Amino acid sequence: MDSQRSILIIALAFVSFLLWQQWHKDYGPEPVVSQTQTEQLDSNGELQLSADEFGTQPVATTPGPDAGISRHEQLVTVETDVLQVKISTRGGDIVSLKLPQYELTKDSQTPYVMMRRQPGFDFIAESGLIGQHGPDDSRNADGRPLYHASELSFQLGDGQQELIVPLHYQHQGLEIEKRFIFRPGQYDVRVEYLLRNTSDEVRVVQNYQHLLQTIEGGRDSSFFMPIYRGAAYGTQSDRYKKYSFKDMQKSNLSIPTLGGWAAMLEHYFVAAWVPDQEADNQLYSRVNRGRGVIGALGPVVQLQPGQDALISTTFYAGPKIQDNLAELANGLDLTVDYGFLWFISQPLFWLLTLIQGFVVNWGVAIILITIVVKGVMYPLTKIQYESMAKMRNLKPKIEDLQARYKDDRQKLGPAMMELYRKEKVNPMGGCLPLLLQMPIFLALYWVFVESVELRHAPFMLWIQDLSAPDPWFILPVLFGASMFMMQKLTPMTVTDPMQRKLMMWMPVAFSVFFIWFPSGLVLYWLVSNLISLAQMLYIYRGMEKKGLHSRKA
């Protein structure tokens, strides 16, 4: 029994170390931008994307964020049922985006502000045309193109299936219409360039699109509720890869791929550029004046005189709804980051949503999925508790052997093994089931932490947000009480005073620890403990009837 407890503590410590290591990697402090990194900018502070870096046909450099912003800039306001967007006529960039279906805080009636341009912090989506004749060429005297908008306010009406927001510009014989296409209930926006070459010469352009975010600042994070605020991308060969601001500051990303995508994440929400999935694109990243940039460069387009062309890409900004993201690009749904146990978490999330579809309450769904999981794992639980009970029954015989061979440790080991063989007891039998259950425990942890569906989801009574800690600390206290009851049902056999005190105070420590955890996660653990208590009583009662278990042992 002592060895089982020791192994359990070691296993928990090891898992805690892995969680801490991953947390520090993803959410630790960002390094300061070095002088060599700032040298990526030219004298005007513009971000350089050269042809040599991308290995494409010769193209000009794209302008840096905010380059050429003038007092003539206007903002085009667009409203749909799920998006509130502001588009700058300077470059046609998305400089503000709110999500009216998601409150900033519970019952605040304030839309979640996802993208914004404000003093000291930027999070915007830029896109444009570079190349020999691209208007976003940094050699253009006007800087970024100043588009013309026929209207400054657009709204998706009831029953309207599509809203087109057009911007117009002419440059070196190119007629350019940059338009944004919105649809009801959709967080993805189609961004298209309709080009016409009215000159008598070939025109060469290349589209780019990237996300820019200030590295310092942003939303708060904590160890108990981690918020990964950084970049990620996907390629044909690597479906999902985090690329944090620390990674950006160390090296520039430059990856050719068929299709692909580039994104910025912040916990429950994601902003992403999804270029043409049938085209050869180039993913890139940069650091610009304390701001991280990640995006995609499309293929070079040549327009003959009188020729028309259509270049299109998709922009997504909204909640991490896995089904919607999976339809846009391969691997984009993995931004709902379940970690290395994603192959367990995804089926559990599917089951959770299936149950919720029937009960229409996420708290009840958590209780029911806990019952299902504990039911499926019951055979392992039975093996675990039976092994623990048998080991406890052997305690007098083990103590007798220890007293007999206290001065001969070489003989004690074989004698103990012979006792286990004779009594048909495996000293590790109670540990293996615990270790097998631990991946499911961790997988469910990430399901409850990462799923936007639980954000602000009410349960009952005082629990009105399953993604937030229990405001009255009732669930953590109940969890500690259930853990204490389990300890009483399984008396400690350790003799070391320090270990006994440690085990006695574990329920209190966990109760305090869980104060900062999401209430949905604490609800799961509480229900899991209650079911374990019921299973333990049932298993021990059956063993007592067979004469295999004694609670006084």
Side-chain angles (χ1 to χ4, degrees), residues 2 5 9 395 487-488 490-507:
D2 294 350
R5 292 186 184 277
I9 293 173
K395 183 184 176 184
Q487 281 191 347
K488 284 296 184 181
T490 310
M492 288 185 291
T493 60
V494 294
T495 56
D496 182 72
M498 287 298 296
Q499 290 189 39
R500 292 183 66 87
K501 287 182 179 180
L502 177 64
M503 299 301 295
M504 288 176 59
W505 282 98
M506 278 185 66

Side-chain angles (χ1 to χ4, degrees), residues 262-284:
M264 289 278 191
L265 317 179
E266 55 176 45
H267 202 181
Y268 296 118
F269 303 96
V270 57
W273 280 109
V274 182
D276 185 352
Q277 295 298 284
E278 301 300 323
D280 292 321
N281 302 300
Q282 188 85 13
L283 304 184
Y284 62 88

Side-chain angles (χ1 to χ4, degrees), residues 11-47:
L12 289 173
F14 179 67
V15 171
S16 300
F17 170 74
L18 292 178
L19 289 173
W20 165 254
Q21 190 178 51
Q22 186 63 39
W23 179 90
H24 192 271
K25 176 182 176 182
D26 292 340
Y27 313 115
E30 307 288 353
V32 178
V33 181
S34 68
Q35 178 62 32
T36 56
Q37 291 159 343
T38 59
E39 288 173 356
Q40 297 167 8
L41 312 178
D42 67 10
S43 59
N44 295 320
E46 295 180 345
L47 180 63

